[in-house]
Amino acid sequence: QVQLVESGGGLVQAGGSLRLSCAASGSIFAIHVMGWYRQASGKQRELVAVITSGGTTTYTDSVKGRFTMSRGNRKNTVYLQMNSLKPEDTAVYYCAADRVDVRYWGQGTQVTVSS
């Protein structure tokens, strides 16, 4: 089992920044990918960014150049630095970890961007 706890969400004005954190615990060995997803009200959950165990990051087109995903030194924590936020970035942001053939999810953290 893997437990994921997100933090760092909140309310910010358009153009502002937020940094999300996700701490993984439990059976964190063999986690090969961690990612950030988001789900806006009335919409499907979508991928925002992922980072592999080798450190390769991939971003969805709508956040490229604005969001940066990184890992902490102990590799059980990932971050999502979000700059130049837009109202359309408003969503619940979820951290996910892929271990073997199971995807684990955090509880989510709300990000609200006001215009």
Side-chain angles (χ1 to χ4, degrees), residues 65-101:
R66 301 189 298 122
F67 291 11
T68 302
M69 185 173 183
S70 61
R71 284 189 311 205
N73 291 334
R74 296 178 62 184
K75 297 186 179 181
N76 66 326
T77 302
V78 293
Y79 305 96
L80 186 67
Q81 178 65 43
M82 305 185 294
N83 299 327
S84 302
L85 282 161
K86 304 175 181 180
E88 50 264 43
D89 294 319
T90 295
V92 178
Y93 283 70
Y94 296 91
C95 178
D98 292 351
R99 181 179 178 275
V100 190
D101 59 352

Side-chain angles (χ1 to χ4, degrees), residues 1 8 17 34 37 44 46 67 71 84 90-91 101 103:
Q1 291 290 327
S17 298
M34 293 190 72
Y37 293 73
Q44 289 188 328
E46 65 172 354
F67 291 11
R71 284 189 311 205
S84 302
T90 295
D101 59 352
R103 175 166 293 168

Side-chain angles (χ1 to χ4, degrees), residues 4-7 92-95 105-109:
L4 302 170
V5 178
E6 304 103 331
S7 60
V92 178
Y93 283 70
Y94 296 91
C95 178
W105 294 95
Q107 81 286 354
T109 185

Side-chain angles (χ1 to χ4, degrees), residues 7 16 27 32-35 37 39-40 48 54 56 59 68 70 72 93 102 114:
S7 60
S27 300
H32 54 94
V33 175
M34 293 190 72
Y37 293 73
Q39 187 168 17
V48 177
T56 301
Y59 301 91
T68 302
S70 61
Y93 283 70
V102 178
S114 63

